[in-house]
């Protein structure tokens, strides 16, 4: 099998990816602190950090959306069913038998069909629910005073449910980073921008 080295991830792509990862891990940690799972800071400190990280993520998302639109990278997320069944079979069985990956990464197509659907679902469903419920939580009193009564229990449930969906994604994402040519090749690619592809 011959491979070639291609530049897949731009500097901003990598910066945005790692900044988002750090912020999301910070949100997980402070969220668990708020719920009493950990006890390494005061409740108020956890809330303050959680809120600050939320605003940092919102700013990062604004820059990322601008970057995706201006560079045309939004096209990476256009869903396709081509090779979708092959990808599901590969992740369920083929990967454990050492079979070849059914799709190839290129500069114009970095994501396989399953990744496209997953990221699209995150971007148009899970993240909006997470951000919307977070804002509803943050401005709960103001919304109620303005005549928009919300059930705090429902807001909390949606926020935590979306957080656990993101946590499941993160666990799967971290696991799948280990399934490249070597255990760390996918992680190195997201650090350097360069990846070895067939």
């Amino acid at each position: 099998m011959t491979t070639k080295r291609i530049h897949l991830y731009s500097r901003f792509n990598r910066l945005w990816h790692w900044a988002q990862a750090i912020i999301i891990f910070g949100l997980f940690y402070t969220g668990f602190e708020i719920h009493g799972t950990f006890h390494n800071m005061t409740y108020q400190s956890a809330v303050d950090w959680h809120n600050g990280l939320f605003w940092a993520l919102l700013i990062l998302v604004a820059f990322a959306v601008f970057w995706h639109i201006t560079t045309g990278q939004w096209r990476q997320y256009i869903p396709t069913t081509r090779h979708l069944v092959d990808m599901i079979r590969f992740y369920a069985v083929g990967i454990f038998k050492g079979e070849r990956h059914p799709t190839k990464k290129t500069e114009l197509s970095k994501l396989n069909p399953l990744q496209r659907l997953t990221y699209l679902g995150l971007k148009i469903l899970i993240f909006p629910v997470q951000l919307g419920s977070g804002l509803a939580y943050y401005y709960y009193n103001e919304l109620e005073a303005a005549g928009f009564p919300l059930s705090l229990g429902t807001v909390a449930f949606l926020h935590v449910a979306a957080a656990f969906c993101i946590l499941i994604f993160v666990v799967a994402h971290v696991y799948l980073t280990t399934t490249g040519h070597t255990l760390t090749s996918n992680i190195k690619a997201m650090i350097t921008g360069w990846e070895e592809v067939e």
Side-chain angles (χ1 to χ4, degrees):
M1 174 182 70
T2 17
T3 62
K4 66 175 180 174
R5 198 165 179 254
I6 62 172
H7 194 260
L8 276 184
Y9 307 108
S10 71
R11 187 175 291 130
F12 180 79
N13 194 183
R14 298 187 320 267
L15 173 70
W16 158 67
H17 177 272
W18 291 112
Q20 181 177 245
I22 290 165
I23 291 170
I24 286 174
F25 277 109
L27 285 165
F28 282 144
Y29 185 81
T30 55
F32 280 119
E33 279 277 354
I34 290 166
H35 281 273
T37 308
F38 306 130
H39 301 286
N40 297 317
M41 59 176 73
T42 66
Y43 178 82
Q44 190 57 53
S45 290
V47 168
D48 291 342
W49 272 100
H50 199 73
N51 291 340
L53 288 165
F54 165 77
W55 291 112
L57 182 61
L58 215 53
I59 291 165
L60 182 65
V61 165
F63 278 106
V65 167
F66 177 77
W67 176 78
H68 277 89
I69 291 169
T70 57
T71 62
Q73 288 296 313
W74 60 272
R75 291 182 183 92
Q76 298 286 341
Y77 304 100
I78 296 173
T80 178
T81 55
R82 189 167 180 245
H83 297 298
L84 180 60
V85 174
D86 296 334
M87 283 309 308
I88 293 168
R89 188 195 165 285
F90 176 74
Y91 284 135
V93 178
I95 200 168
F96 303 108
K97 292 181 173 181
E99 292 177 9
R100 293 177 72 179
H101 204 284
T103 63
K104 291 178 176 47
K105 286 184 187 179
T106 69
E107 292 92 340
L108 299 175
S109 182
K110 299 172 194 173
L111 305 174
N112 69 52
L114 205 51
Q115 288 173 312
R116 287 176 182 232
L117 287 174
T118 302
Y119 286 128
L120 187 66
L122 280 168
K123 289 173 188 299
I124 66 171
L125 181 64
I126 304 299
F127 286 160
V129 168
Q130 184 67 20
L131 294 172
S133 60
L135 284 169
Y137 230 139
Y138 191 78
Y139 291 111
Y140 180 78
N141 293 332
E142 290 82 351
L143 289 168
E144 199 166 62
F148 297 101
L150 297 170
S151 161
L152 191 57
T154 302
V155 171
F157 173 79
L158 289 172
H159 197 64
V160 171
F164 274 100
C165 287
I166 295 168
L167 182 59
I168 290 166
F169 164 78
V170 168
V171 169
H173 184 65
V174 169
Y175 162 69
L176 289 173
T177 62
T178 67
T179 63
H181 299 299
T182 67
L183 197 62
T184 58
S185 61
N186 288 332
I187 295 167
K188 282 181 189 170
M190 193 46 82
I191 292 170
T192 66
W194 293 88
E195 185 158 349
E196 293 282 335
V197 295
E198 287 182 37

